[in-house]
Amino acid sequence: MADPLDLLERDDKHYLGAGAGVIFAPRFPRWLHLPGFWDELDVFSYTLANLFTVTFLTVDGDVPGTTLSMRQLRRRWSPAQLVARYALAEGLEAREHRSVLPGGWLLSEWALTHCRDEPWTLMAVAWTAQDTSTLALSTARASLGSLSFARFLQDRQGRRMDVDVLMDTTRDAIGSSLYLSEGSVLDPIWESTPFLKNWRDGVSTQERPVSAGRGILHGAVVSRLTVPPGQEVTVAFRARVRPKDSGLRQLTGPFSDSLQEHCPAAEPAQPKEPGGGGAPGLPSRSEWAAFFDGLPELACSDPYIERYWYYRWYGLRLCSLEGGVGNYPYPGCCEGTGYFHLPIAYSAQCHARELRWLSDPARARGVLLNFLAQQKPSGQLHGRLYVNHLEGTDFYFADWGDAVLCVDAVHPDLAFLRAVYGPLSLYAGWLDRARDADESGLTDVVDHFETGQEYMSRYMAVSREADSEAWGQRIRLKGVDATVYTYRLQRALAVIAGRLHEFGEAGRWIAAADRTGEALLGSMWDSELGMFSDIDPQSMRRTGVKAAVCFYPYFTDLVGPEHVSGLRRHLFNPEEFWTEFPVPSTSADDPTYSPDGEWKGERLNCAWNGRVWPMANSHVAEALAGTAIELDDSLRPAAAEFIRKFIRMMFHDGDVGRPNCYEHYNPETGQPSLYRGFDDYQHSWVNDLIVKYVAGFRPAGRSFVVDPLPFGLRSLRLASLPFQNHRVDIEIDAGAFKVSVNGERAGESRIGEAIEVAS
């Protein structure tokens, strides 16, 4: 098996992070050809730009001489680092290793060599330029080899977060400087800085008064180094970005004390300074290697499946966050990069399903617990959790109940179930009061954003104003997806209550789920059309709009053999959902259908009227695979084909070396939403599908089933998969498979003949 860091290496990527809320993932970078981090960083959902770059100068005695030109020769990315090679002068070459480490550290580490006969003596300068309107100037300080300042960041809504920034060098510091400039530019142009003019008598540590002033604050830290002939010399520059008041904020949820009792919040991570010395890039490579070493290992004859397995784990760590920070008492995961770099309810269900395959369940549990810990008194859950406030968080429907059961199936724990039972019960009560006031048993959607699926004809069917660009637009639609989520929550609460020996409560939730299920089947199933449908609550008639969510009931226990023909009729119809890259979020024969994301003649950021969304595909994969396994074996090849197409869609131009995960894709060409710039968007689950349907491993109470779908693989090996304090290995070879538990052979069979193994 190849090292995952080597397996994922490529030339066309640049995202860097360490799972701690500070990442380098600019959407449309301008300055990757220059050293350092001048393009924007994400500090949770806030943006910080022009952190620092690096310039090299010759030395004339004790003062700077010529500025060396810097031509980037190539870049090579892996999750651990971005390695760039430069030609600085004739015979002088440099290699830069950019990386991001836990604690908000961003490193630019260098190795320099040359082939001249004489040594090169150089000054290496890491410098920044900051708009003074974003600074607390009185905090700016310089000392030998370091400088610091406080900066204000703003999000899209104008809310503010204050951060402390420290810059330093780890080798042969000869000075640091801070200068104010009334007029300048914020581009990384060395000639625009005041440094050379002010260093005519040599570099020293000097701090000009910066308590007041408008314009640009320039700051620099300087190292001096000598590069002997034929030898490699290293130097490193670092910056640390840390939110002020970064400790845990007060928990606001009505069950926060109970959560703390059963699932104590994480201790805030202690800032760890990166060690100095060693090979450039080593600290980050060590961190990432340790992460990959702790994962279940996958080797597969289908290179797309194998590559995507490790790529997905990279994305999950990139978007992870540590607990004990701000409004995040537990370790968790963000939805994506940029302003999506925060926990979002709609994607928490995805993260829980995938992160449960880590040996430590803390993060899988934490993505759910963070929302429950901040629950509103009414029982409603926040749609988003900002690190430093809970204002304007809106609301999203999500499959909370089944996400809890998925985690508990792999890592059972009664304390976790006790912790979540109260908050989820309160949330279910809110759904009943606020979203089923007419006691229909069906769940109301009141704007097109809260399903996470805006701009669709399903909403226009009940209001011509449904696409109004405002949260809280008061439409009413009894949604298939929202009702399925409610049903699964009620079923999950019944299971949890039973596990806790609260049998009266279990009976109450069984009755509630039965009522919801009967309403869903009785009202939403259109036997003539052969499809489930949203309901217009004004008339209580089905809208008849065909959307991917209409397949969601197929991953519940509600459907039976009488529903299978409808699935076949619509899902596999190329004129509806079986496009070249299935499935479009809205049927291809819908009048509003657009494969290009256009709504009323305008291309939108998040249109659901025909694009393929990995989030919906994850649901449909569950629906199709579940139907194939439970109701109709003849669908198994189609389920495998769908999952295979889903995974292969997420590679640029089918290139196995260039996996991606964008918000949405063209159903006819498979092209991602490059115009959005958001790659590594953790808004779906894929590795969970690989475990359950490619390797065929599915929990079944205290035992598990191994039943791979027919992917036509020559071979597959999934090793060290955690399950209830055991380690499971699965090997597929030419249609046969073997299962081991804790290194001992536990069973064998052939694809198409499932086996069950007691743990």
Side-chain angles (χ1 to χ4, degrees):
M1 172 62 203
D3 183 329
L5 291 176
D6 295 334
L7 186 72
L8 296 177
E9 271 196 2
R10 54 201 273 193
D11 295 330
D12 64 334
K13 198 166 177 65
H14 58 273
Y15 290 12
L16 299 170
V22 178
I23 62 173
F24 179 69
R27 293 165 63 190
F28 302 107
R30 298 174 57 204
W31 306 111
L32 292 179
H33 63 288
L34 296 181
F37 301 90
W38 205 267
D39 290 301
E40 65 269 19
L41 317 172
D42 299 330
V43 185
F44 297 101
S45 57
Y46 294 82
T47 298
L48 188 159
N50 47 285
L51 184 61
F52 74 88
T53 188
V54 177
T55 299
F56 289 91
L57 311 168
T58 62
V59 177
D60 186 3
D62 293 325
V63 300
T66 304
T67 304
L68 297 181
S69 63
M70 186 173 295
R71 179 168 57 90
Q72 191 176 94
L73 303 175
R74 64 170 299 192
R75 288 192 304 270
R76 189 74 172 165
W77 173 90
S78 79
Q81 59 186 341
L82 184 65
V83 181
R85 295 183 179 273
Y86 302 89
L88 299 183
E90 186 176 350
L92 180 61
E93 293 191 359
R95 187 179 72 249
E96 179 197 24
H97 296 248
R98 298 181 223 181
S99 60
V100 177
L101 293 178
W105 287 96
L106 297 101
L107 276 62
S108 173
E109 301 175 276
W110 292 80
L112 293 92
T113 58
H114 74 88
C115 56
R116 292 197 329 174
D117 294 334
E118 300 296 326
W120 273 97
T121 300
L122 304 170
M123 284 185 183
V125 184
W127 60 275
T128 188
Q130 302 289 326
D131 188 328
T132 56
S133 67
T134 67
L135 301 177
L137 280 173
S138 61
T139 66
R141 296 286 184 273
S143 59
L144 181 62
S146 70
L147 59 86
S148 60
F149 53 86
R151 179 164 167 181
F152 319 135
L153 309 182
Q154 283 192 325
D155 65 11
R156 292 192 300 164
Q157 287 75 38
R159 296 185 180 92
R160 170 171 154 169
M161 181 168 70
D162 299 351
V163 297
D164 290 322
V165 178
L166 168 71
M167 288 175 51
D168 67 9
T169 180
T170 61
R171 177 189 176 107
D172 301 326
I174 60 174
S176 299
S177 297
L178 289 169
Y179 296 111
L180 271 176
S181 174
E182 184 176 19
S184 188
V185 295
L186 289 173
D187 290 350
I189 302 172
W190 173 254
E191 290 76 14
S192 71
T193 72
F195 296 122
L196 284 180
K197 172 181 175 296
N198 287 281
W199 290 346
R200 284 176 295 195
D201 297 325
V203 178
S204 61
T205 299
Q206 48 188 321
E207 180 182 346
R208 300 296 175 99
V210 290
S211 59
R214 295 179 301 167
I216 307 298
L217 177 68
H218 292 89
V221 294
V222 188
S223 289
R224 180 176 176 134
L225 56 152
T226 298
V227 186
Q231 297 185 30
E232 183 176 89
V233 171
T234 62
V235 63
F237 295 101
R238 313 178 303 181
R240 187 192 66 204
V241 179
R242 188 165 63 181
K244 284 182 175 292
D245 304 320
S246 57
L248 181 64
R249 294 166 64 90
Q250 183 176 356
L251 304 185
T252 60
F255 286 90
S256 57
D257 290 342
S258 175
L259 284 167
Q260 284 284 71
E261 177 185 354
H262 298 298
C263 295
E267 292 294 326
Q270 296 302 312
K272 183 175 68 173
E273 183 174 339
L282 180 61
S284 183
R285 289 197 301 275
S286 298
E287 290 271 351
W288 276 96
F291 170 72
F292 282 120
D293 286 346
L295 298 176
E297 179 183 321
L298 181 73
C300 183
S301 59
D302 185 327
Y304 292 94
I305 292 173
E306 179 178 295
R307 187 74 56 100
Y308 211 83
W309 171 265
Y310 289 105
Y311 184 79
R312 187 60 161 204
W313 284 116
Y314 141 74
L316 287 166
R317 184 172 188 246
L318 176 80
C319 292
S320 290
L321 55 87
E322 298 306 319
V325 177
N327 286 320
Y328 313 141
Y330 303 97
C333 194
C334 301
E335 184 164 288
T337 64
Y339 51 78
F340 295 112
H341 201 59
L342 77 168
I344 297 179
Y346 191 39
S347 56
Q349 58 187 329
C350 310
H351 305 151
R353 283 172 169 80
E354 304 220 274
L355 293 168
R356 64 177 173 154
W357 301 115
L358 295 175
S359 58
D360 183 351
R363 194 170 300 279
R365 293 173 182 159
V367 298
L368 306 173
L369 293 171
N370 278 329
F371 283 92
L372 301 182
Q374 308 291 4
Q375 187 172 25
K376 296 180 180 181
S378 66
Q380 185 180 13
L381 296 171
H382 292 281
R384 291 179 291 276
L385 297 178
Y386 296 96
V387 65
N388 61 336
H389 70 85
L390 292 172
E391 302 170 8
T393 58
D394 303 307
F395 171 72
Y396 287 108
F397 286 102
D399 193 3
W400 296 106
D402 200 66
V404 167
L405 295 184
C406 282
V407 175
D408 191 66
V410 178
H411 301 285
D413 182 67
L414 288 179
F416 173 62
L417 295 183
R418 289 191 183 97
V420 303
Y421 181 72
L424 288 180
S425 297
L426 186 63
Y427 173 62
W430 175 82
L431 285 172
D432 189 49
R433 295 189 312 274
R435 297 308 177 92
D436 188 23
D438 55 8
E439 299 183 347
S440 67
L442 307 174
T443 303
D444 287 345
V445 175
V446 302
D447 70 48
H448 70 143
F449 292 106
E450 63 183 18
T451 62
Q453 302 187 13
E454 54 265 39
Y455 302 104
M456 298 180 74
S457 57
R458 61 186 296 225
Y459 313 109
M460 306 300 286
V462 296
S463 171
R464 290 188 296 179
E465 303 298 322
D467 58 347
S468 172
E469 189 69 34
W471 286 85
Q473 176 72 27
R474 303 301 297 184
I475 66 168
R476 279 188 70 212
L477 173 75
K478 293 189 177 296
V480 174
D481 46 352
T483 303
V484 165
Y485 290 163
T486 298
Y487 172 77
R488 283 157 70 90
L489 175 62
Q490 293 163 340
R491 281 281 181 238
L493 285 168
V495 171
I496 296 169
R499 289 277 305 281
L500 299 177
H501 293 174
E502 298 286 348
F503 298 116
E505 286 287 287
R508 177 168 73 91
W509 291 117
I510 289 172
D514 287 346
R515 175 173 168 271
T516 302
E518 289 170 6
L520 194 155
L521 286 177
S523 298
M524 291 182 159
W525 172 249
D526 186 329
S527 57
E528 183 176 346
L529 180 64
M531 200 167 198
F532 290 91
S533 172
D534 298 321
I535 298 291
D536 181 345
Q538 299 301 316
S539 64
M540 290 305 293
R541 294 177 179 173
R542 290 180 289 273
T543 66
V545 175
K546 294 179 291 186
V549 297
C550 297
F551 299 113
Y552 285 18
Y554 287 91
F555 58 72
T556 72
D557 58 358
L558 294 171
V559 298
E562 68 274 20
H563 300 105
V564 174
S565 62
L567 179 75
R568 288 180 175 276
R569 174 180 167 188
H570 296 287
L571 181 58
F572 302 135
N573 184 349
E575 302 301 317
E576 296 183 32
F577 292 98
W578 205 252
T579 50
E580 187 70 21
F581 295 90
V583 296
S585 47
T586 295
S587 176
D589 63 356
D590 188 282
T592 70
Y593 170 77
S594 170
D596 301 311
E598 293 183 356
W599 179 262
K600 295 183 177 179
E602 178 184 4
R603 186 180 69 179
L604 299 182
N605 288 337
C606 297
W608 282 73
N609 61 319
R611 300 286 284 180
V612 178
W613 285 75
M615 178 60 145
N617 267 18
S618 297
H619 287 75
V620 174
E622 295 287 355
L624 178 54
T627 304
I629 291 165
E630 299 296 333
L631 297 175
D632 188 343
D633 278 350
S634 69
L635 289 173
R636 285 172 174 255
E641 180 185 358
F642 177 69
I643 293 171
R644 187 188 303 109
K645 284 186 172 183
F646 178 20
I647 292 173
R648 293 197 181 192
M649 178 185 70
M650 295 185 288
F651 286 80
H652 289 288
D653 301 319
D655 184 347
V656 73
R658 301 172 63 211
N660 63 58
C661 191
Y662 283 81
E663 290 175 280
H664 47 86
Y665 296 76
N666 187 305
E668 298 170 8
T669 67
Q671 289 299 305
S673 50
L674 296 172
Y675 67 93
R676 291 282 282 140
F678 290 111
D679 197 356
D680 298 331
Y681 192 68
Q682 308 305 302
H683 191 234
S684 55
W685 60 94
V686 180
N687 280 356
D688 193 58
L689 300 176
I690 292 173
V691 171
K692 291 193 299 182
Y693 304 122
V694 181
F697 179 92
R698 295 188 291 280
R702 298 296 297 173
S703 61
F704 62 86
V705 171
V706 180
D707 180 20
L709 294 182
F711 279 82
L713 302 175
R714 294 192 309 277
S715 63
L716 176 142
R717 181 173 186 268
L718 180 61
S720 298
L721 192 72
F723 179 70
Q724 300 182 5
N725 296 317
H726 300 287
R727 290 292 177 270
V728 179
D729 298 344
I730 299 170
E731 294 187 54
I732 298 175
D733 184 13
F737 63 86
K738 301 175 182 178
V739 183
S740 300
V741 178
N742 300 328
E744 299 292 329
R745 182 65 53 83
E748 57 185 82
S749 185
R750 299 194 62 80
I751 291 175
E753 300 175 10
I755 61 172
E756 185 168 350
V757 179
S759 63

